[in-house]
Each structure stands twice: as C-alpha cells, then as structure tokens.
Amino acid sequence: MKKWLTFFLVASCIGFILPVKQAQAVTPSYSKEDVQRLALYKKMETITNIPWYYFAGVDQYERSVRRARTDLPKVSGLVGIYFSPIQWSGPLNPNMDDKNPGSIRIFGGAGMDGNNDGIADRNNDEDLLYTFSDFIGKYGFDEENFKIGLWDFYRRDKAVSIIMENAKIYKSYGTVALTRHAFVVPLRSNYSFKNTWGDRRGYGGLRIHEGTDIFANYGVPVKATSYGVVETKGWNRFGGWRIGIRDINNVYHYFAHLSSFNKGIKKGSIVEPGMIVGYVGSSGYGPPGTSGKFPPHLHYGMYRDNGYTEWAFDPYPYLRAWERQERLASRSH
C-alpha cells in the first residue's frame, strides 16, 4: 500500500494526468447557493429534458457577463440569465412589468410560468430557466441543435463556445462548486515576481505589458490556476510556446514563453487548479523555435469577456492572493 501511495504522489508531482475523478485531490467546498443552484438545474432537467449541465453552462456565462458590465442589473437570485422587459413582456405590451402569461403571449413576449403559480415573473429563477428552455427546446436537445439554439439566442459564436466549455466542465465534475484556485508555479521552486502591469514593451511595436512576469529557472512546472478548458496551444511570435485556458468565470488565462508543454494537454482538455500545463522557458520574439532572447520566465495574463469584447486586466493581485492561500493551506497540512 505504501508503494502505491508513493507512486501516486510522485506521479502527481511530475505532471501525470489522471482521470478527472482521481485528479481532483481536493474535495469541493459546497456553499448553500451551490447546492440550491445544482438542485434547480436538475429539477429543470427533469421538466424539460435539457441536461442540467447545459443550464449550468448558460447560467454561469450570464452571471460572469453581468459581473463584467455596468449596463445590466446585478444578479439578485440564484439564476443569472437575463431577459429585458421588452423581451419578457413583448415589444408592443403597454405593461413592461407584465406577469400574466396570457397577455405576455398575446404581445409576443418570451416570459413563461415555470413553477405553475400562474405568474410569469422574470425575477423568478424557475420562470427564467423554463422560459430559456422553451426557446432552446424549439431546436432540439442534442448537442448540435442546442448549439444552434444558443447561437440564435446570443448571435455570437464566442458565447456559444464559452457556454459549451462551461457545460463540459460541469458535466465532468458533476458539481457547480468549482471555486478553488492554485498558484501558477510550485511554492518550493525558486521564483520571484512583482507587478509589471503596464510596463513598456518594444518588440513588435511600442505597447504595454498586459500581465505579470514570474521569473524562475528553465523547466519549472507551470500550473493551471483555475478549472477551465484549453482554448489555445502552440506558437505565438510574441509569447513563444504558449497556452490559453478559459475558466468557468469567463476569464482567459494566458501562459507564455514556455519551454515545452505537458504532453497530455491539448486543445479542448479540461484542466483543474494545480495541474501542470507546461514548463518555464524563454521562447518567443521571433519565428517558431526562437528562444533565449530574455531570461527564463512565465508571462501570465488574464483577460475578461463581457459578452461583446475581451480586455486584459492586472493579474498581480490574484497571483498574490493565490500564492498566500496556497501557502496557508500547505502550512495547515
């Protein structure tokens, strides 16, 4: 038994990728809201035949978009899916706060009664999910038709891909309690970093530095910081060998200047906090294979999507917080 335990500990350290159920070393911490959201999604699955993880993927996308924008109201209930008054009540409805399913239908509104209380309330979680499912259900419940329905609802390819990635993650882990993070390199390694956000960069034209540089030795493992899906992997003339991961909060994590990748990681792979995705290097600033134009380090960037566009924001405070959390957790063990 001790030999097997030793094997698994060593394997995890050198980056072996185990099946999802084995790789999740830390038990999720369930909040009351997590439990309620999952129960609601599964109830809607029973009613509509749409898999619960599709509801979870859509809802998580909407929640993240509403957090990133100021023109939408903040989420007040369990569900973040948003219908405007016009969408819900109908464009010709004289009552933009209409909750009568019959009159809403007459005026061409989308709002429906999802819990059989005779009211179609766009602030009610079950009514929101049921109304959304009615729109999507017109296209079918299999994956391809669901994606077609999503495109017709959002009219944005990026929204469809992000939602399907979210659903893929939730389906794999069977829970929505996926809030854990990890620091980007092992704490035991020799590394250093400071806030380099906004520094000037000259290669490829004058530009600002959109990220944080973590200086470390060649070959130091680089870890995923969140639960997510690999969207990009390969060469970029600025970032060298780089990998891009979209997490379930609609944040794109950019890891650049790697010396190599974890061979088990590919585009579309699901990753979790602490999983090794590559190794520190000094690649970039030239055609494929260019290396050594600067000291070895990891460039780590974070980009947020608001449903229309994507922009970079300073990752330094998050890195410091994850470093501190991981250090405290290691001391408690």
Side-chain angles (χ1 to χ4, degrees), residues 4 37 52 83 151 161 168 189 247 280 302 316-317 330:
W4 280 108
R37 285 173 61 203
W52 72 266
F83 287 89
W151 189 90
S161 65
K168 183 178 179 180
S189 61
D247 74 15
V280 171
M302 297 174 72
Y316 180 79
S330 64

Side-chain angles (χ1 to χ4, degrees), residues 83-113 118-124 127 131:
F83 287 89
S84 69
I86 291 178
Q87 288 174 310
W88 189 268
S89 302
L92 300 178
N93 196 328
N95 179 13
M96 285 289 103
D97 194 35
D98 198 353
K99 295 181 176 63
N100 185 310
S103 57
I104 287 174
R105 190 176 304 111
I106 290 173
F107 288 106
M112 300 186 72
D113 173 18
I119 298 173
D121 184 356
R122 70 188 187 95
N123 294 310
N124 179 276
D127 291 354
T131 299

Side-chain angles (χ1 to χ4, degrees), residues 48 50 130-141 145-146 149:
T48 66
I50 295 177
Y130 189 77
T131 299
F132 182 84
S133 71
D134 180 70
F135 182 93
I136 296 294
K138 296 172 184 176
Y139 297 86
F141 304 124
N145 282 315
F146 184 76

Side-chain angles (χ1 to χ4, degrees), residues 72-326:
L72 295 175
K74 299 302 180 184
V75 178
S76 59
L78 293 174
V79 174
I81 296 173
Y82 178 75
F83 287 89
S84 69
I86 291 178
Q87 288 174 310
W88 189 268
S89 302
L92 300 178
N93 196 328
N95 179 13
M96 285 289 103
D97 194 35
D98 198 353
K99 295 181 176 63
N100 185 310
S103 57
I104 287 174
R105 190 176 304 111
I106 290 173
F107 288 106
M112 300 186 72
D113 173 18
N115 57 1
N116 294 316
D117 64 355
I119 298 173
D121 184 356
R122 70 188 187 95
N123 294 310
N124 179 276
D125 295 324
E126 293 185 49
D127 291 354
L128 281 169
L129 288 178
Y130 189 77
T131 299
F132 182 84
S133 71
D134 180 70
F135 182 93
I136 296 294
K138 296 172 184 176
Y139 297 86
F141 304 124
D142 61 282
E143 182 175 324
E144 287 306 311
N145 282 315
F146 184 76
K147 288 164 68 175
I148 293 171
L150 286 177
W151 189 90
D152 196 21
F153 189 84
Y154 291 102
R155 300 300 173 103
R156 186 183 184 227
D157 291 338
K158 191 69 174 178
V160 176
S161 65
I162 292 172
I163 288 169
M164 296 308 294
E165 287 172 359
N166 287 349
K168 183 178 179 180
I169 295 169
Y170 288 131
K171 180 182 179 181
S172 296
Y173 287 92
T175 180
V176 295
L178 301 175
T179 58
R180 185 168 58 91
H181 291 90
F183 186 57
V184 73
V185 295
L187 295 180
R188 66 181 183 277
S189 61
N190 183 18
Y191 69 88
S192 64
F193 69 104
K194 62 180 182 179
N195 194 345
T196 53
W197 174 262
D199 287 356
R200 289 164 63 97
R201 290 292 184 270
Y203 180 80
L206 188 62
R207 54 198 172 89
I208 69 166
H209 188 239
E210 294 183 343
T212 296
D213 289 336
I214 299 96
F215 288 89
N217 296 329
Y218 281 106
V220 167
V222 173
K223 304 185 297 179
T225 55
S226 307
Y227 293 92
V229 173
V230 176
E231 284 191 349
T232 306
K233 178 188 173 186
W235 182 266
N236 175 287
R237 73 186 184 97
F238 294 103
W241 298 117
R242 54 72 164 106
I243 191 166
I245 298 170
R246 175 87 50 186
D247 74 15
I248 56 174
N249 292 308
N250 205 3
V251 173
Y252 181 77
H253 302 254
Y254 179 67
F255 306 77
H257 306 316
L258 303 175
S259 61
S260 61
F261 303 107
N262 183 329
K263 293 181 180 179
I265 297 291
K266 59 184 179 180
K267 187 176 180 180
S269 293
I270 294 175
V271 300
E272 63 180 48
M275 182 179 287
I276 295 173
V277 298
Y279 302 88
V280 171
S282 61
S283 61
Y285 283 21
T290 302
S291 183
K293 289 193 172 183
F294 40 76
H297 69 279
L298 169 71
H299 169 93
Y300 181 74
M302 297 174 72
Y303 299 78
R304 190 179 303 281
D305 183 279
N306 67 357
Y308 291 111
T309 187
E310 192 168 73
W311 71 94
F313 62 98
D314 188 0
Y316 180 79
Y318 297 88
L319 288 167
R320 282 297 185 199
W322 298 336
E323 179 191 39
R324 183 169 58 252
Q325 291 168 7
E326 194 164 311

